[in-house]
Amino acid sequence: MSTIAIVRAAPSVLQPPRSLWTHLRPLAMIVGSMTIFFAVWQVLSSFVFNPHLIPPPTKVFATAVPMIQSGEIFKHIGISLVRVIIGFIAGTVLAILFGVVMGRLKAVNDLLDPIIELLRYLSPTAMIPIAVIWFGIGENSKYFLIFWGTFFFVLINTIAGVMRTPVARYRAAQCLGASELQIFMQVVIPSAVPYIVTGMRVAMASAFMSIIPAEILAADSGLGYLLQTSAMLVQTERIFVALATISLIGFITDRIFRWAVERTLHRYMAFITAT
Amino acid sequence: MLLVDAVSKVYGQAPAAYHALDDISLEVKRGEFLCLLGPSGCGKTTLLNILAGFESVSSGTASLNGKRITGPGSDRVMFFQDAGSALFPWLSVEENVRFGLKLRGLPRAEADRTVSHYLAMVGLDEHRTKFPAQLSGGMRQRLQIARALAIEPEILLMDEPFAALDALTRRRMHTFLHDIWTKTGKTIVFVTHDIGESILLADRIAIMSVGPRSRFRDIIEVGLPRPREPAMPRFGELYGKIEGLLTNEVDALQ
Ligand SMILES: Nc1ncnc2c1ncn2[C@@H]1O[C@H](COP(=O)(O)OP(=O)(O)OP(=O)(O)O)[C@@H](O)[C@H]1O
Ligand SMILES: [Mg+2]
């Protein structure tokens, strides 16, 4: 049946409406699912739950407007974002450097791997107390914690990517006359790019999850701090504004990251599936 | 001339050692098309890897034009069955072919000419800006061939390059490879499972015995006129003979 339907739809006259819907479908789905989400939330918190514990979206929105107008929310966003970006970049750069060396030199890997295997179980949250003792409650402790939450994800993926360069590709480059260094720079590292990017995306999510506890426990600004002060004054509306902001910022950052990868590293991201 | 003289290959250490090849000798003349045929696991890939310089010999010598083979060199290029992993997926068709030329510092204009020449030869000229992921299996194998030919090696080592292709494409690739071989006069060592493929392509077919301690069971001169067709009168006869040899081999195992 469905085959027949496709065949009938094939004439070009019928194409435009179909392709328009194909384009609009994802957007329609998002709008639809958001509408349902907010409607259910509104109904539940107005008639079922205590609106002081779960404020309805209209109230959250009403709380958000003055925070946006006064620029208060943007100040917190900006501070948290800068912390995430600096820690993330530092963690990523160092992890890639360590990762390519460890992936290539077995001796270095054997030496460092046990240490990394132990350290990576210490979540950034577990490191907050010692970070505060080492770096105080200023910016450096936040950079350190984000760095910590980023480094291991990127490192482990980079090592895996470097080690998993297909043997055939390596040997093909040898036959074409490439030296070890040329193979490393022009074959092994490009082959590892998809792994590195995957590690970076996971690390990005980790960085966003690490900044909040760090700011709750030890900061005087940022989205985590906003959560913390709102909780102390039992301002649930402001807590919800902060929570919504965090998910929105995380989502947008990931989209921007994916867009940037698509723009700059597109050609390295192709995995060829075996035929 | 490619010379394999009393080569043995043992993998691993004493208790777990595996004696793959035992005292193998072979001579491949310049411009010859030689097929290595044998049951799975007999050591065809091992022998090819030794010729390519990827594996060392345990005893004996492998040499090319009197020079001992100790590592990979651009006078011998290996082809892999899995073109997807052998190609550079981040480089376009054109850039894949250019890769080896860049390494040897060929001037830009000359490299351009070489790239165009070999892309035209393998029929990928109008796909030069595509990426390997956008090519079909047969096109990827042709790209692998163009990339290898561009650096003008003396010898092509091919490990079941067409085994993953469908029957029709494989047949087309046979004709294609035959043409390339006639045009360029390369020496080709071609590994296959497929008896028909070996009769279509080879000057001589070296049939290997089952491992461990694999040797050459027989080396057969094909001697059919070229280009060849499965419908040729002596084709079936030869097929039967080789099949008999291989079956004896596999039966001997039981
Ligand atoms: N690196 C290795 N270490 C140990 N044993 C190996 C290694 N490579 C191959 N062998 C063994 O050597 C024998 C020959 O392997 P090889 O890959 O050369 O066979 P083949 O003839 O190419 O088989 P196929 O037709 O299935 O590709 C096999 O028994 C295999 O298990
Ligand atoms: Mg094999």
Side-chain angles (χ1 to χ4, degrees):
Chain A
M1 286 299 275
S2 62
T3 331
I4 294 169
I6 289 168
V7 171
R8 284 214 183 122
S12 58
V13 195
L14 286 175
Q15 283 297 317
R18 259 184 90 227
S19 73
L20 190 65
W21 172 238
T22 336
H23 275 97
L24 287 180
R25 208 186 109 94
L27 188 67
M29 285 300 166
I30 293 170
V31 171
S33 100
M34 284 293 122
T35 311
I36 293 169
F37 175 72
F38 284 115
V40 171
W41 176 6
Q42 181 79 32
V43 170
L44 285 180
S45 49
S46 308
F47 303 109
V48 183
F49 299 120
N50 180 347
H52 291 294
L53 296 183
I54 305 181
T58 43
K59 249 178 122 189
V60 173
F61 190 70
T63 313
V65 171
M67 292 171 80
I68 293 169
Q69 278 169 345
S70 70
E72 181 192 2
I73 194 80
F74 297 114
K75 190 192 85 187
H76 291 301
I77 292 175
I79 288 168
S80 293
L81 262 185
V82 167
R83 288 170 178 161
V84 165
I85 289 169
I86 291 178
F88 178 78
I89 290 176
T92 300
V93 169
L94 217 68
I96 292 176
L97 290 178
F98 269 76
V100 294
V101 174
M102 285 177 68
R104 192 73 186 89
L105 301 175
K106 194 167 177 319
V108 181
N109 192 38
D110 290 347
L111 196 70
L112 295 182
D113 186 61
I115 305 174
I116 284 157
E117 278 303 307
L118 288 177
L119 291 184
R120 76 191 182 96
Y121 290 101
L122 298 173
S123 69
T125 314
M127 297 301 287
I128 292 174
I130 197 68
V132 171
I133 294 174
W134 287 346
F135 303 103
I137 71 156
E139 295 308 297
N140 287 343
S141 58
K142 310 305 171 303
Y143 300 155
F144 170 77
L145 290 167
I146 300 301
F147 169 89
W148 191 268
T150 302
F151 183 76
F152 296 102
F153 289 110
V154 180
L155 179 72
I156 286 163
N157 278 278
T158 306
I159 295 172
V162 168
M163 283 182 167
R164 282 184 209 162
T165 304
V167 181
R169 191 172 299 153
Y170 185 92
R171 289 181 166 176
Q174 282 186 313
C175 287
L176 295 172
S179 68
E180 282 299 308
L181 183 67
Q182 285 168 328
I183 293 177
F184 189 61
M185 299 305 288
Q186 296 179 39
V187 177
V188 174
I189 291 182
S191 298
V193 166
Y195 292 86
I196 297 175
V197 169
T198 305
M200 285 171 74
R201 278 192 69 202
V202 179
M204 179 84 84
S206 155
F208 271 91
M209 289 182 206
S210 315
I211 189 66
I212 303 304
E215 289 174 345
I216 288 180
L217 290 175
D220 47 19
S221 57
L223 290 167
Y225 174 76
L226 176 63
L227 272 175
Q228 161 74 1
T229 49
S230 310
M232 292 219 290
L233 303 170
V234 206
Q235 295 166 319
T236 42
E237 291 88 355
R238 282 171 66 87
I239 292 185
F240 270 72
V241 172
L243 291 177
T245 309
I246 293 165
S247 30
L248 207 61
I249 297 298
F251 175 81
I252 292 172
T253 316
D254 188 61
R255 286 304 137 124
I256 293 176
F257 181 74
R258 275 159 67 165
W259 174 81
V261 165
E262 188 62 24
R263 283 295 300 263
T264 56
L265 297 173
H266 176 73
R267 55 164 59 203
Y268 296 98
M269 299 303 287
F271 279 110
I272 302 179
T273 47
T275 42
Chain B
M1 193 177 66
L2 194 59
L3 196 68
V4 176
D5 185 23
V7 161
S8 292
K9 176 68 187 178
V10 183
Y11 283 113
Q13 295 298 320
Y18 184 81
H19 202 134
L21 301 178
D22 185 42
D23 193 22
I24 279 201
S25 295
L26 176 71
E27 210 185 290
V28 188
K29 287 185 283 294
R30 203 183 185 112
E32 181 173 11
F33 198 130
L34 182 106
C35 273
L36 290 174
L37 189 68
S40 186
C42 70
K44 305 180 293 291
T45 299
T46 301
L47 181 54
L48 216 56
N49 281 342
I50 287 171
L51 295 178
F54 300 143
E55 294 276 4
S56 59
V57 294
S58 302
S59 66
T61 51
S63 62
L64 176 59
N65 302 327
K67 247 189 80 206
R68 209 184 159 113
I69 294 171
T70 53
S74 44
D75 45 2
R76 291 153 280 141
V77 178
M78 179 79 133
F79 278 77
F80 301 88
Q81 183 184 331
D82 179 10
S85 51
L87 292 167
F88 307 122
W90 57 88
L91 298 181
S92 66
V93 165
E94 184 180 333
E95 291 163 335
N96 263 282
V97 180
R98 198 184 293 276
F99 186 89
L101 302 175
K102 252 190 181 161
L103 291 175
R104 32 184 67 193
L106 218 64
R108 178 86 199 183
E110 203 183 327
D112 280 345
R113 238 177 300 126
T114 312
V115 169
S116 298
H117 175 71
Y118 287 105
L119 281 181
M121 187 184 281
V122 302
L124 286 176
D125 218 6
E126 70 238 61
H127 303 286
R128 51 197 304 157
T129 56
K130 283 192 180 162
F131 286 84
Q134 298 166 303
L135 303 179
S136 71
M139 286 157 90
R140 285 180 202 160
Q141 286 303 4
R142 282 186 277 151
L143 175 54
Q144 232 194 134
I145 293 174
R147 184 178 70 175
L149 291 176
I151 64 163
E152 293 176 353
E154 187 183 328
I155 295 175
L156 305 183
L157 304 167
M158 312 184 89
D159 194 357
E160 306 188 40
F162 308 142
L165 304 176
D166 65 274
L168 217 70
T169 312
R170 194 179 325 143
R171 197 61 195 87
R172 222 179 287 140
M173 291 302 291
H174 291 153
T175 315
F176 166 75
L177 182 63
H178 184 263
D179 289 350
I180 295 272
W181 175 68
T182 326
K183 260 186 235 162
T184 60
K186 303 286 177 202
T187 311
I188 297 181
V189 182
F190 187 104
V191 165
T192 180
H193 273 124
D194 181 340
I195 302 173
E197 184 171 59
S198 68
I199 301 174
L200 281 172
L201 294 172
D203 289 326
R204 284 188 303 157
I205 304 173
I207 299 167
M208 295 174 79
S209 62
V210 282
R213 294 179 178 276
S214 180
R215 290 163 158 259
F216 288 127
R217 178 79 175 64
D218 208 343
I219 298 183
I220 293 178
E221 287 275 352
V222 177
L224 294 180
R226 293 175 183 273
R228 296 174 186 154
E229 285 292 332
M232 283 178 157
R234 275 205 56 226
F235 193 99
E237 183 191 321
L238 212 55
Y239 195 105
K241 181 177 165 193
I242 296 171
E243 196 171 36
L245 284 169
L246 282 173
T247 319
N248 283 345
E249 266 313 311
V250 179
D251 286 349
L253 207 61
Q254 265 107 48

mmCIF file of all heavy atoms in Angstrom, chain B residues 40-41 43-46 81 159-160 191 193, ligand 2:
data_model
loop_
_atom_site.group_PDB
_atom_site.id
_atom_site.type_symbol
_atom_site.label_atom_id
_atom_site.label_comp_id
_atom_site.label_asym_id
_atom_site.label_seq_id
_atom_site.Cartn_x
_atom_site.Cartn_y
_atom_site.Cartn_z
ATOM 1 N N SER B 40 40.468 -20.612 3.410
ATOM 2 C CA SER B 40 40.531 -19.539 4.407
ATOM 3 C C SER B 40 41.515 -19.894 5.518
ATOM 4 O O SER B 40 41.572 -21.030 5.964
ATOM 5 C CB SER B 40 39.135 -19.330 4.990
ATOM 6 O OG SER B 40 39.162 -18.230 5.844
ATOM 7 N N GLY B 41 42.300 -18.920 5.909
ATOM 8 C CA GLY B 41 43.245 -19.126 7.005
ATOM 9 C C GLY B 41 44.548 -19.790 6.606
ATOM 10 O O GLY B 41 45.356 -20.144 7.448
ATOM 11 N N GLY B 43 47.008 -18.444 4.928
ATOM 12 C CA GLY B 43 48.165 -17.554 5.000
ATOM 13 C C GLY B 43 48.360 -16.670 3.783
ATOM 14 O O GLY B 43 49.451 -16.141 3.557
ATOM 15 N N LYS B 44 47.309 -16.457 3.010
ATOM 16 C CA LYS B 44 47.425 -15.597 1.828
ATOM 17 C C LYS B 44 47.713 -14.158 2.229
ATOM 18 O O LYS B 44 48.614 -13.511 1.684
ATOM 19 C CB LYS B 44 46.131 -15.654 1.001
ATOM 20 C CG LYS B 44 45.724 -17.048 0.593
ATOM 21 C CD LYS B 44 44.451 -17.074 -0.225
ATOM 22 C CE LYS B 44 43.215 -16.660 0.535
ATOM 23 N NZ LYS B 44 42.785 -17.601 1.574
ATOM 24 N N THR B 45 46.923 -13.663 3.187
ATOM 25 C CA THR B 45 47.141 -12.294 3.653
ATOM 26 C C THR B 45 48.523 -12.165 4.294
ATOM 27 O O THR B 45 49.211 -11.161 4.100
ATOM 28 C CB THR B 45 46.040 -11.897 4.661
ATOM 29 O OG1 THR B 45 44.783 -11.970 3.999
ATOM 30 C CG2 THR B 45 46.243 -10.482 5.182
ATOM 31 N N THR B 46 48.915 -13.201 5.031
ATOM 32 C CA THR B 46 50.237 -13.193 5.658
ATOM 33 C C THR B 46 51.334 -13.008 4.608
ATOM 34 O O THR B 46 52.224 -12.165 4.763
ATOM 35 C CB THR B 46 50.456 -14.517 6.420
ATOM 36 O OG1 THR B 46 49.437 -14.651 7.394
ATOM 37 C CG2 THR B 46 51.813 -14.537 7.095
ATOM 38 N N GLN B 81 40.595 -4.822 1.022
ATOM 39 C CA GLN B 81 39.221 -5.162 0.681
ATOM 40 C C GLN B 81 38.278 -4.078 1.187
ATOM 41 O O GLN B 81 37.347 -3.663 0.514
ATOM 42 C CB GLN B 81 38.857 -6.501 1.318
ATOM 43 C CG GLN B 81 37.478 -6.948 0.941
ATOM 44 C CD GLN B 81 37.085 -8.218 1.660
ATOM 45 O OE1 GLN B 81 37.926 -9.039 1.999
ATOM 46 N NE2 GLN B 81 35.810 -8.381 1.883
ATOM 47 N N ASP B 159 44.497 -7.612 -1.786
ATOM 48 C CA ASP B 159 43.955 -8.638 -0.892
ATOM 49 C C ASP B 159 42.438 -8.703 -1.021
ATOM 50 O O ASP B 159 41.719 -7.916 -0.411
ATOM 51 C CB ASP B 159 44.359 -8.330 0.555
ATOM 52 C CG ASP B 159 44.128 -9.521 1.466
ATOM 53 O OD1 ASP B 159 43.610 -10.546 0.973
ATOM 54 O OD2 ASP B 159 44.463 -9.428 2.658
ATOM 55 N N GLU B 160 41.958 -9.631 -1.821
ATOM 56 C CA GLU B 160 40.520 -9.812 -2.063
ATOM 57 C C GLU B 160 39.809 -8.479 -2.272
ATOM 58 O O GLU B 160 38.832 -8.181 -1.584
ATOM 59 C CB GLU B 160 39.871 -10.561 -0.898
ATOM 60 C CG GLU B 160 40.558 -11.876 -0.602
ATOM 61 C CD GLU B 160 39.804 -12.698 0.424
ATOM 62 O OE1 GLU B 160 38.560 -12.713 0.358
ATOM 63 O OE2 GLU B 160 40.452 -13.331 1.273
ATOM 64 N N VAL B 191 45.196 -11.690 -4.238
ATOM 65 C CA VAL B 191 44.686 -12.756 -3.371
ATOM 66 C C VAL B 191 43.197 -12.927 -3.584
ATOM 67 O O VAL B 191 42.471 -11.945 -3.680
ATOM 68 C CB VAL B 191 44.951 -12.416 -1.888
ATOM 69 C CG1 VAL B 191 44.118 -13.310 -0.977
ATOM 70 C CG2 VAL B 191 46.423 -12.555 -1.567
ATOM 71 N N HIS B 193 39.619 -15.876 -3.019
ATOM 72 C CA HIS B 193 38.971 -17.139 -2.676
ATOM 73 C C HIS B 193 38.312 -17.745 -3.893
ATOM 74 O O HIS B 193 37.869 -18.874 -3.874
ATOM 75 C CB HIS B 193 37.784 -16.857 -1.727
ATOM 76 C CG HIS B 193 38.140 -16.815 -0.316
ATOM 77 N ND1 HIS B 193 37.877 -15.729 0.468
ATOM 78 C CD2 HIS B 193 38.754 -17.719 0.477
ATOM 79 C CE1 HIS B 193 38.305 -15.987 1.688
ATOM 80 N NE2 HIS B 193 38.840 -17.169 1.713
HETATM 81 MG MG MG C 2 43.096 -12.858 4.180
#
